[in-house]
Amino acid sequence: MRLVQRLRGERVEEAAARDRSKSVCVTSFPTKPPRDVSTIKLLHRRASSAISTASDLISRRGVFSRRYYGSVEQLQQTEVDGQEQGRRFRIENGDSPGEKDEMFGSPSTPVLENPEYQTRWYFKYFLGKLHQNYVGIDADKIPFFLSVVVNENSNQCVPLYRAILFRKTGAHKISLPYTQNKVLSVKQILSNFPNMDKIEKGPKEIFSPDIQKDLLLLEEQEGSVNFKFGVIYMKQGQTTDDEILSNETGSERFDEFLQLLGEKIRLRGWDNYRGGLDVKGDMTGKYSVYTVYEGHEIMFHVSTLLPYSRDNRQQVERKRHIGNDIVNVVFVDGDDPDAISNQDTHSLFNPTCIKSQFTHVFAVVSVDSHNRYRLSICAEEAVPLFGPSLPCPPVFDNPQLFRDFLLVKLINGEKATFETPTFARKRERTLDMLIKDLYAEHMTDARMTMLNRRAFSDVLAETPRHSRVKEDARQIEFVRIGQALKLEAIVRGDAPTSLASAGSTGSVFKRSPWEANCFYPVFPASVILCADSWGDNRLVIGTEDGMYIVEEGNLHRLLFDKSIQARQINIVESHGILLIRAGPSCKEGKIYVFRLSQIEAMTEPKSRFDVKEHRLERSRGTHLYAISRPDKADQLHRFVGGSRLRMCVAVGRRLMMFQWKHSAAWTAWCPTNDTDTVDGFNFIWEIMLTENPAILTVLDGGWSPNSPSHGDVLVCVGYKNHWDIVNGRTGFSKHLHTVEVGKPNLVTALDLYEDQEVQLLLCYNHTCHFQKVDDSLPSTEFDFHWNSVPTNIVCAFPYIIAFTTNSMEIRLIVNGNLVHTMTMPKLQMVACKNDIFFATTAPEFFPNRTDRLLLDVKQHEQPKYSPPLSPNSSPDARPLRIYRIPLHALTKNSNSDHLDLGKESPNVWKSADVKLTVPDQPRVSRSATSSPVPPKGKISAIK
């Protein structure tokens, strides 16, 4: 109880709420007697530093980490007793294998991870609004708090439940679809959280308005909205922190760098975020550097602006702030700036020379005589991977682009540090004590009643007539207190309410990588069953009314009438064929094979009576099939003569494998000879499974060079609640993963390849689980969770995108961190083979919205508007609009990621959450081992 009261009291004063500089400064590491390690073992450990170890798994997330986020190295540190004591750091300097092998470098768009304006749910969606709060204990007798609200997005009118579960491990957030006629109980909502479906006693509702203050306090334990970073001036040849921090002033180049970072402010009388600096008596210097980036206030602790003492070699006053910053920027300077900015000299900085147990990330910066900045990152091994990854080479010609990249890297680095075991344990202990104190307080609150077993028919359930006046008064007071708390947090500067940035970067327009283009403006209001992309500008879409071909710039055309109900569509352009699984239901289907040339020549729609000769034998009763991905397999099989198209077909419990008679290389060499349809598939093998499969994924890379046969093809099979790996040629079957939840909902199994390794992304309910297939390789299993249960998942390195019926959630595949969420009605993923296509209700047809959207144009031009409402704008028929997210936009380098507003830019259609632009660059491969190929005109600018 005293901990809660103390934290509540500290929140009144701005300094106590945000000052993280009051922890004890550690000027040296505690040393232990070194182990007697031989020189051979020491050299062997250094040589194998990049290989995954038990501790390395903390910082490695997925198969792509070592390619784009540096290797782990042990850096020497000489102690007073002369013995060597090392710390392991992950060095990111543009020299990782992925960066050296690729012409254009790795994807490195500067995007904030876990942005507070999207992750602080309680502040954004709950506080100041009617919602319900509960307290209870789980099956392990550990207390928890639950908050539930029904939100209706005012722009898209998509009602949904939002729920937050506060536990000692943190705040877990989910959203669930809201149906007017289907009421969810508290236990039903709790069952959607991991390990919360077996609670014995239902939670009790808390009616006191003061609970909002306590839950806001719990959410604020995730971390501060504002940041403080150290900036250290280092001269060439300095090797100790005493020497580095004894630099009384900086150079002209260092002053220019500080001007780039932010504004030089006078500390006395400063009334914004102060980052632990004294603003009354100049005890921490007269000036500092301050800026705002996307709503985050940032105070820099500049070593040359902090108090300097000629009599104190250790510069304790400077170390007190620099040593307690989680992230430090080190500016390396010398007489020859061109020599300093090269990579070899850049590596002379040893992060172990800064003796602090608190600093985990160092950003080493230098600038050459041409005002080009070079950046490298040193992060402690325990710090999880964080983006953006450095380009290759890590040199920035544009100072403003470098500033954006650096600030995003620093913010993401501090957030990642809070996930290290040291900080995670401290946060868990704090949350555990807070929740226990709040549990004891609210469980004994005499104001609690027995009205806690009602369902969520609305935000607050109906009350009896005789107490309705009293209940209305309570609701008004509840909302009033919540709004007052929200206003207090905003005034205090601890609220994620703004995306504004300070400095000269206001003239730079930052385009989001997931910005969508309008591909087809009005598609008939029909249920899309399946689809696939064809070339650059065509889609083949299966609906309940038949199959259509949709081409950009032309009207959609019917290919097959409603007698052919397509359930799956695949276009294999490398072989020139179209595969269709069609049938009256999902369990009664047949597979048809067409040549793409035949589809192009069609002038009239065909029915099922016209396509009998295209039906594949043995496919009657097919309820599911999957094909191999030639684009991935080619990268894995180059040394064995190319890949083959394989198709795995499930008919009940019977699993069959077919293979196309020609390889993709042969078809490319002799395209006129590959004219087969159903005769092109050869039957390979057949096995019987224990139950009907629900998911199939063909793993062409599931074998290694030591496998018994290069012809072995592994298949990942998903059942009701588990996945297996099956090899039909050998009859081998291996259990992969079991879903241990009450009502499992398997979504997909994505195969991710790199360097002849295959790793599976198994998705079910709100969870994504990474698991390697080859047992001989070090395991990198880890989970991350979606806020909503996805219907489709797309991987476009470095992002992974989840589609639900009303939202699109974008995360980083390397660590599962959220980067963006968009809400749209009737959302559906259409195709993702190359570019990502999705459909939603057109913006001008959003329910209760009849305004036309303003088109962004130059200020000197007349404003333009979106097209007027079409005849389909009746309430019963709202057409779909198909959008495209270009793959090159998701994977391109940050150097081409900004536009100067003074230059002419493409027209942008703006809706509430989606921007629609005209594509202006070619597509690229989605493969993680391939990088974007820039237009020829930009290659010279990148070098």
Side-chain angles (χ1 to χ4, degrees):
M1 189 69 66
R2 285 178 293 179
L3 177 62
V4 177
Q5 294 173 348
R6 181 171 62 86
L7 290 176
R8 287 173 179 167
E10 288 181 349
R11 290 172 56 190
V12 178
E13 298 182 5
E14 187 264 349
R18 297 178 298 194
D19 188 359
R20 294 198 294 264
S21 66
K22 293 185 177 181
S23 55
V24 178
C25 178
V26 181
T27 57
S28 62
F29 290 103
T31 58
K32 298 180 180 179
R35 296 181 180 179
D36 186 12
V37 182
S38 65
T39 305
I40 296 179
K41 290 184 177 180
L42 180 61
L43 293 175
H44 175 73
R45 184 176 59 195
R46 293 173 180 172
S48 61
S49 61
I51 301 177
S52 179
T53 62
S55 58
D56 198 6
L57 295 182
I58 300 173
S59 57
R60 282 193 55 188
R61 292 292 188 250
V63 295
F64 312 125
S65 57
R66 67 178 180 275
R67 292 185 61 86
Y68 298 115
Y69 293 90
S71 59
V72 177
E73 301 177 10
Q74 181 172 359
L75 304 180
Q76 296 183 7
Q77 177 181 1
T78 303
E79 300 294 340
V80 179
D81 56 4
Q83 300 292 332
E84 287 189 359
Q85 186 73 23
R87 296 171 62 191
R88 288 170 60 88
F89 279 81
R90 185 174 62 252
I91 310 300
E92 189 180 353
N93 55 13
D95 196 37
S96 62
E99 295 162 337
K100 292 179 66 176
D101 294 345
E102 311 299 340
M103 178 188 70
F104 194 53
S106 58
S108 52
T109 302
V111 178
L112 288 178
E113 301 174 16
N114 292 328
E116 280 74 11
Y117 71 94
Q118 292 199 9
T119 59
R120 298 291 180 92
W121 272 26
Y122 193 78
F123 178 88
K124 182 176 182 179
Y125 299 112
F126 292 74
L127 195 62
K129 302 176 184 177
L130 285 175
H131 63 277
Q132 293 171 266
N133 301 296
Y134 295 83
V135 60
I137 56 175
D138 59 16
D140 298 326
K141 308 301 181 183
I142 299 176
F144 66 85
F145 285 85
L146 174 69
S147 297
V148 181
V149 69
V150 175
N151 281 138
E152 183 173 293
N153 192 299
S154 58
N155 292 322
Q156 288 80 29
C157 297
V158 181
L160 49 83
Y161 290 104
R162 294 188 189 271
I164 307 178
L165 182 67
F166 294 97
R167 310 179 73 178
K168 67 177 184 179
T169 53
H172 306 271
K173 301 172 278 285
I174 63 171
S175 61
L176 302 171
Y178 174 83
T179 305
Q180 190 69 32
N181 300 326
K182 185 179 179 181
V183 177
L184 294 181
S185 65
V186 183
K187 284 192 174 182
Q188 287 174 327
I189 292 179
L190 277 174
S191 64
N192 289 276
F193 290 97
N195 305 320
M196 292 297 293
D197 54 343
K198 298 180 180 180
I199 59 174
E200 300 177 358
K201 188 177 181 181
K204 293 184 177 181
E205 186 174 356
I206 305 173
F207 293 95
S208 171
D210 295 334
I211 185 63
Q212 298 175 93
K213 186 176 183 180
D214 300 328
L215 296 180
L216 183 62
L217 174 64
L218 293 180
E219 185 175 69
E220 289 178 348
Q221 302 308 308
E222 296 180 8
S224 175
V225 176
N226 305 317
F227 299 89
K228 58 185 184 70
F229 303 126
V231 180
I232 304 173
Y233 177 71
M234 171 182 171
K235 293 181 180 179
Q236 186 178 6
Q238 294 180 336
T239 58
T240 66
D241 56 353
D242 291 346
E243 294 175 341
I244 295 172
L245 294 178
S246 294
N247 294 320
E248 187 173 357
T249 59
S251 64
E252 182 179 352
R253 287 186 293 270
F254 181 63
D255 293 337
E256 293 176 354
F257 173 65
L258 294 181
Q259 293 176 7
L260 180 65
L261 285 182
E263 173 190 4
K264 188 174 183 180
I265 54 103
R266 183 71 169 91
L267 284 176
R268 177 173 290 183
W270 180 252
D271 57 355
N272 289 333
Y273 175 64
R274 63 188 187 89
L277 299 179
D278 178 47
V279 295
K280 296 181 180 179
D282 292 338
M283 299 297 294
T284 56
K286 295 183 178 181
Y287 300 96
S288 188
V289 177
Y290 166 89
T291 191
V292 178
Y293 184 80
E294 293 196 6
H296 299 283
E297 295 183 75
I298 302 174
M299 180 65 75
F300 295 97
H301 294 164
V302 184
S303 61
T304 57
L305 297 180
L306 291 170
Y308 172 77
S309 174
R310 298 182 181 274
D311 301 329
N312 189 345
R313 285 187 54 215
Q314 295 187 350
Q315 303 299 328
V316 176
E317 185 60 29
R318 291 182 172 182
K319 286 183 180 180
R320 186 170 74 89
H321 294 280
I322 299 293
N324 283 283
D325 289 329
I326 296 176
V327 180
N328 278 326
V329 180
V330 181
F331 185 89
V332 183
D333 197 7
D335 297 331
D336 187 357
D338 294 324
I340 287 294
S341 63
N342 67 55
Q343 179 177 328
D344 295 334
T345 310
H346 228 241
S347 61
L348 293 179
F349 170 74
N350 190 334
T352 59
C353 71
I354 306 297
K355 297 180 176 60
S356 168
Q357 287 185 328
F358 208 69
T359 304
H360 284 65
V361 179
F362 294 91
V364 186
V365 177
S366 62
V367 61
D368 62 15
S369 58
H370 303 287
N371 203 30
R372 295 179 302 182
Y373 285 90
R374 174 180 284 272
L375 176 66
S376 61
I377 302 296
C378 302
E380 268 203 354
E381 179 188 20
V383 178
L385 298 175
F386 59 94
S389 59
L390 292 181
C392 177
V395 177
F396 298 81
D397 297 331
N398 189 321
Q400 298 301 332
L401 297 185
F402 169 70
R403 177 184 186 272
D404 275 4
F405 190 98
L406 177 63
L407 293 180
V408 171
K409 192 72 173 178
L410 299 179
I411 293 174
N412 290 343
E414 178 157 329
K415 291 181 180 180
T417 303
F418 283 123
E419 302 302 322
T420 59
T422 301
F423 285 94
R425 284 193 295 266
K426 292 179 180 178
R427 183 176 65 250
E428 183 171 332
R429 285 196 299 266
T430 302
L431 284 173
D432 188 30
M433 296 175 63
L434 282 172
I435 292 176
K436 286 181 178 178
D437 288 350
L438 294 175
Y439 175 81
E441 176 182 342
H442 289 285
M443 286 297 290
T444 58
D445 194 340
R447 292 171 289 181
M448 294 185 61
T449 68
M450 294 301 294
L451 299 176
N452 60 79
R453 296 184 179 180
R454 57 193 184 186
F456 293 101
S457 58
D458 201 339
V459 181
L460 290 172
E462 293 293 333
T463 56
R465 292 184 179 179
H466 63 273
S467 60
R468 184 163 299 174
V469 175
K470 185 177 180 180
E471 178 67 12
D472 289 344
R474 187 192 72 83
Q475 293 181 15
I476 293 173
E477 180 69 8
F478 188 92
V479 172
R480 187 193 64 81
I481 292 179
Q483 292 175 346
L485 290 171
K486 177 172 282 191
L487 179 61
E488 178 188 345
I490 294 173
V491 173
R492 201 170 59 237
D494 288 335
T497 57
S498 173
L499 295 180
S501 297
S504 57
T505 56
S507 61
V508 176
F509 171 66
K510 185 177 179 181
R511 176 178 296 173
S512 300
W514 41 83
E515 190 172 292
N517 309 327
C518 179
F519 176 78
Y520 198 74
V522 179
F523 190 74
S526 179
V527 177
I528 296 179
L529 302 176
C530 54
D532 199 7
S533 59
W534 181 2
D536 293 339
N537 60 348
R538 283 186 285 188
L539 288 174
V540 177
I541 300 178
T543 71
E544 294 177 340
D545 298 327
M547 284 182 56
Y548 295 88
I549 182 170
V550 178
E551 187 171 359
E552 191 174 21
N554 296 322
L555 293 176
H556 55 276
R557 177 167 57 91
L558 185 65
L559 296 176
F560 301 98
D561 61 21
K562 63 172 59 178
S563 63
I564 297 182
Q565 295 282 308
R567 307 293 174 176
Q568 281 182 266
I569 295 176
N570 284 103
I571 296 176
V572 187
E573 297 180 59
S574 57
H575 295 285
I577 59 175
L578 167 67
L579 304 176
I580 303 173
R581 177 175 68 87
S585 66
C586 294
K587 297 183 179 180
E588 299 177 4
K590 306 177 184 67
I591 294 179
Y592 298 89
V593 185
F594 298 88
R595 302 298 307 182
L596 292 178
S597 57
Q598 296 173 334
I599 300 299
E600 286 184 310
M602 289 175 55
T603 58
E604 296 292 334
K606 294 184 179 296
S607 66
R608 63 186 180 91
F609 302 105
D610 302 323
V611 298
K612 290 183 178 180
E613 67 275 9
H614 294 273
R615 188 178 66 199
L616 182 66
E617 294 184 6
R618 296 173 177 259
S619 67
R620 181 183 295 273
T622 299
H623 72 276
L624 185 65
Y625 80 89
I627 65 172
S628 59
R629 295 189 290 171
D631 61 326
K632 301 294 183 185
D634 284 341
Q635 300 167 16
L636 296 162
H637 299 270
R638 288 171 184 165
F639 59 93
V640 293
S643 63
R644 298 291 183 97
L645 172 66
R646 297 180 175 90
M647 179 171 60
C648 185
V649 179
V651 181
R653 295 191 298 115
R654 187 157 52 100
L655 199 65
M656 297 176 289
M657 181 66 70
F658 296 87
Q659 179 175 284
W660 193 256
K661 62 173 62 175
H662 304 300
S663 68
W666 188 90
T667 302
W669 185 260
C670 307
T672 58
N673 294 331
D674 192 357
T675 59
D676 297 312
T677 55
V678 291
D679 298 333
F681 279 105
N682 295 326
F683 175 77
I684 300 180
W685 49 255
E686 174 183 334
I687 61 172
M688 291 296 293
L689 304 175
T690 57
E691 56 182 296
N692 292 352
I695 293 175
L696 293 177
T697 302
V698 180
L699 309 179
D700 265 340
W703 50 269
S704 65
N706 299 324
S707 298
S709 170
H710 284 160
D712 286 350
V713 180
L714 303 185
V715 181
C716 177
V717 182
Y719 300 100
K720 292 181 179 180
N721 63 349
H722 68 281
W723 279 275
D724 288 345
I725 294 292
V726 176
N727 186 332
R729 186 184 296 274
T730 62
F732 171 77
S733 178
K734 180 183 70 171
H735 177 69
L736 194 62
H737 183 70
T738 299
V739 180
E740 297 180 352
V741 296
K743 296 180 180 179
N745 175 31
L746 273 60
V747 179
T748 187
L750 297 179
D751 49 331
L752 309 175
Y753 299 92
E754 183 192 30
D755 297 337
Q756 303 172 24
E757 296 180 21
V758 60
Q759 181 165 277
L760 283 169
L761 180 63
L762 308 178
C763 305
Y764 59 93
N765 293 42
H766 290 84
T767 302
C768 270
H769 173 79
F770 278 90
Q771 182 161 340
K772 284 193 174 181
V773 176
D774 192 349
D775 293 334
S776 63
L777 298 174
S779 174
T780 56
E781 297 183 20
F782 83 103
D783 295 350
F784 68 86
H785 302 279
W786 303 101
N787 292 331
S788 304
V789 178
T791 55
N792 297 95
I793 293 178
V794 179
C795 176
F797 185 80
Y799 303 104
I800 181 169
I801 306 173
F803 290 85
T804 71
T805 57
N806 53 29
S807 67
M808 183 191 305
E809 192 172 332
I810 305 173
R811 294 179 178 268
L812 289 179
I813 192 172
V814 74
N815 52 22
N817 286 345
L818 177 70
V819 294
H820 193 68
T821 301
M822 294 183 284
T823 304
M824 290 165 280
K826 295 185 179 180
L827 178 64
Q828 183 177 358
M829 195 274 290
V830 176
C832 61
K833 183 174 61 180
N834 294 314
D835 292 343
I836 300 174
F837 295 85
F838 64 91
T840 181
T841 303
E844 58 265 35
F845 301 106
F846 285 166
N848 302 326
R849 180 169 179 174
T850 59
D851 58 314
R852 293 158 64 189
L853 306 178
L854 180 64
L855 176 64
D856 284 355
V857 295
K858 296 181 180 180
Q859 295 181 356
H860 305 290
E861 298 180 3
Q862 294 294 328
K864 300 178 181 179
Y865 293 90
S866 61
L869 298 183
S870 73
N872 296 322
S873 60
S874 63
D876 298 330
R878 297 189 181 98
L880 299 176
R881 177 165 290 176
I882 300 177
Y883 299 107
R884 169 165 60 186
I885 301 178
L887 186 62
H888 72 80
L890 291 171
T891 59
K892 66 183 177 181
N893 188 279
S894 64
N895 289 330
S896 60
D897 199 38
H898 296 71
L899 296 175
D900 192 334
L901 291 185
K903 300 180 181 179
E904 183 176 358
S905 60
N907 291 337
V908 179
W909 297 82
K910 283 191 175 181
S911 68
D913 285 301
V914 185
K915 294 181 180 178
L916 314 176
T917 60
V918 180
D920 55 357
Q921 293 185 2
R923 296 194 329 272
V924 295
S925 170
R926 178 178 281 106
S927 170
T929 56
S930 298
S931 292
V933 180
K936 294 181 180 179
K938 295 186 178 181
I939 294 179
S940 58
I942 297 170
K943 293 180 180 179

